[in-house]
């Protein structure tokens, strides 16, 4: 169904129904905004390399710890370390991997060639 048909259907609703729809839409928008925020990579990370296998993305990231006096504040980031990002339904789960990718992951990525 397109937006035009939805609008036509909404016009036929009663005031009570419209209020309920409004409430429901509000909740829906909040949830969508929340998951969009979770997906965004914080600016304190710098992506060096990114490789994807199936539904998982591996990212090599330089990390800023946030301390003002640290070397990373002047652009010398920590790491880089590998992190894996897995999408489960509409959520993205991130996990620390380490300085190197596990051998089996390297193998899997190698099969598909460099991306
Ligand atoms: Zn630091």
């Amino acid at each position: 169904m397109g937006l035009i048909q939805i609008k036509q259907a909404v016009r036929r609703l009663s005031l009570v129904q419209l209020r309920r729809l409004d409430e429901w839409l509000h909740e829906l928008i909040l949830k969508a905004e929340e998951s969009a925020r979770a997906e965004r990579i914080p600016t304190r990370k710098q992506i060096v390399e990114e490789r994807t296998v199936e539904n998982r993305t591996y990212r090599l990231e330089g990390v800023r710890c946030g301390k003002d006096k640290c070397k990373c504040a002047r652009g010398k980031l920590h790491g880089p370390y590998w992190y894996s990002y897995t999408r489960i339904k509409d959520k993205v789960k991130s996990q620390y991997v380490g300085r190197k990718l596990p051998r089996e992951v390297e193998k899997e990525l190698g099969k598909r060639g460099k991306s």
Side-chain angles (χ1 to χ4, degrees):
M1 208 198 299
L3 209 52
I4 292 167
Q5 286 100 308
I6 292 170
K7 278 182 183 167
Q8 280 168 354
V10 166
R11 273 196 202 103
R12 288 194 287 269
L13 296 178
S14 70
L15 182 60
V16 177
Q17 285 174 316
L18 279 172
R19 282 198 182 123
R20 269 192 208 141
L21 184 69
D22 184 45
E23 235 170 76
W24 178 78
L25 263 180
H26 192 75
E27 255 171 56
L28 202 69
I29 289 166
L30 278 181
K31 269 188 201 154
E33 281 175 344
E34 220 170 84
S35 63
R37 221 175 295 136
E39 224 168 287
R40 219 179 302 142
I41 303 146
T43 46
R44 33 197 220 102
K45 284 181 174 179
Q46 193 179 64
I47 300 163
V48 182
E49 203 183 325
E50 188 178 272
R51 299 168 82 176
T52 306
V53 235
E54 279 156 31
N55 66 336
R56 207 172 316 144
T57 299
Y58 290 94
R59 289 201 186 106
L60 184 61
E61 296 170 356
V63 186
R64 210 164 270 156
C65 67
K67 288 178 195 140
D68 289 342
K69 285 172 186 168
C70 188
K71 58 171 185 165
C72 64
R74 296 188 300 272
K76 247 192 140 317
L77 301 188
H78 301 274
Y81 305 112
W82 284 98
Y83 291 85
S84 81
Y85 294 87
T86 324
R87 177 181 282 278
I88 300 154
K89 283 180 188 165
D90 54 350
K91 286 211 169 130
V92 176
K93 200 181 140 215
S94 72
Q95 199 178 6
Y96 174 76
V97 177
R99 281 212 178 250
K100 283 194 168 178
L101 281 178
R103 201 176 285 257
E104 63 267 25
V105 174
E106 281 282 12
K107 239 189 208 170
E108 193 65 37
L109 290 166
K111 260 189 268 169
R112 284 144 208 268
K114 282 211 170 190
S115 55

